[in-house]
Amino acid sequence: MDKNEELINLAHRRYATKKYDPNKHISDKDWNTIMEVARLSPSSMGFEPWQFLLIENDDLKQAMYDDAWGAQKSFNGADKFVIILARKNMDINSPHIKHMSEDVQGHAFDPNSPFAKKVISFQENDFKLNTARELFDWTSKQTYIPLANMMTTAAALDIDSCPIEGFNRANIDRILADHDVIDPEKWGTSVMVSFGYRDQAITPKKRQPMEAVYRVIK
Ligand SMILES: Cc1cc2nc3c(=O)[nH]c(=O)nc-3n(C[C@H](O)[C@H](O)[C@H](O)COP(=O)(O)O)c2cc1C
């Protein structure tokens, strides 16, 4: 099998797992690989507006159960349950942008620099990220890149997964804040994802044909 065939097989292999075998566990080596791929994911201007919470606390899972209705099948059997947080209020005044510039990317941060002006113009004019909600949606959508990378990596390691948006965001954020897991002024729940080993057959793909989703513009 050539690499192209392998990649297409992998896309068929990954599916939204509804029934996990609670007795099967992901090795540390595999889990560290999935997390390392998440960490290395690209983000807008390299600001990495995310954090990954591996939830191992059963009381917290119980507290979230009713509000995370799309995750209930994962709570019952998935080996790993992850909440991906997105940063709030990530405009040019955010201490996180200063931190990323100075401590991670290694260049001095000056709010009057051409770089800072570009960030401001991008946020305010190009993408119209002018409200707290718009800024959160921008950081939140970036978290779907590590989400996808984690699921594809898992599939390559023969690990099953399920992406999860079936939850009440306000209630989950409140539960996480009540458990001292997040500061809701700084973080919001973007998306959840579970990993483990299936206790069901892999479901065949149902997708639109290529011509419905792909156009070449000449
Ligand atoms: C953003 C997103 C949110 C989803 N939320 C849920 C969910 O809450 N619960 C669930 O069981 N499946 C969820 N799914 C799984 C989808 O239903 C599934 O990916 C889709 O039907 C395609 O099937 P496949 O992933 O098996 O190919 C979600 C998928 C995505 C991409």
Side-chain angles (χ1 to χ4, degrees):
M1 200 191 311
D2 68 13
K3 224 176 220 180
N4 302 284
E5 266 180 283
E6 267 179 43
L7 286 165
I8 290 168
N9 282 351
L10 201 57
H12 283 282
R13 163 70 185 76
R14 186 221 53 79
Y15 78 105
T17 303
K18 309 291 178 185
K19 194 164 189 283
Y20 286 101
D21 182 342
N23 300 312
K24 289 197 182 154
H25 303 289
I26 298 171
S27 71
D28 287 349
K29 188 176 178 198
D30 284 353
W31 183 245
N32 291 341
T33 300
I34 291 169
M35 283 313 307
E36 183 64 355
V37 169
R39 189 180 74 88
L40 294 173
S41 295
S43 56
S44 183
M45 288 172 266
F47 292 154
E48 302 174 37
W50 47 55
Q51 205 172 75
F52 306 89
L53 305 179
L54 175 63
I55 308 296
E56 295 190 332
N57 181 310
D58 287 337
D59 291 341
L60 182 53
K61 283 184 189 168
Q62 196 55 46
M64 291 190 295
Y65 194 86
D66 288 344
D67 288 306
W69 47 270
Q72 289 171 354
K73 290 182 176 136
S74 294
F75 286 139
N76 300 321
D79 188 45
K80 308 278 189 216
F81 188 83
V82 174
I83 296 177
I84 308 183
L85 301 175
R87 262 187 198 276
K88 292 184 174 172
N89 302 313
M90 213 180 71
D91 63 16
I92 200 67
N93 301 312
S94 144
H96 180 69
I97 290 190
K98 185 172 157 57
H99 160 66
M100 289 304 296
S101 301
E102 292 182 348
D103 305 325
V104 179
Q105 297 172 354
H107 52 80
F109 179 77
D110 172 0
N112 298 310
S113 66
F115 172 70
K117 286 191 178 132
K118 198 173 118 204
V119 174
I120 293 168
S121 168
F122 164 75
Q123 290 195 329
E124 294 182 0
N125 303 321
D126 296 336
F127 263 48
K128 302 271 184 288
L129 308 174
N130 296 312
T131 64
R133 176 63 199 237
E134 286 160 355
L135 279 168
F136 178 74
D137 285 346
W138 175 58
T139 55
S140 181
K141 74 183 181 185
Q142 294 177 53
T143 66
Y144 286 68
I145 300 170
L147 168 72
N149 288 342
M150 291 166 87
M151 294 191 299
T152 306
T153 303
L157 295 169
D158 219 23
I159 292 168
D160 300 290
S161 65
C162 186
I164 297 155
E165 267 184 345
F167 57 87
N168 181 303
R169 175 174 285 142
N171 290 352
I172 295 296
D173 285 351
R174 190 172 28 75
I175 291 164
L176 292 175
D178 287 349
H179 283 74
D180 288 328
V181 175
I182 64 165
D183 174 352
E185 297 294 313
K186 292 188 180 152
W187 296 103
T189 301
S190 174
V191 66
M192 303 172 172
V193 57
S194 59
F195 298 91
Y197 291 95
R198 69 185 177 278
D199 187 11
Q200 63 174 146
I202 293 176
T203 53
K205 290 276 164 277
K206 290 180 184 165
R207 293 292 190 268
Q208 298 177 79
M210 187 63 83
E211 55 274 20
V213 298
Y214 174 56
R215 293 194 297 153
V216 179
I217 314 299
K218 292 199 167 155

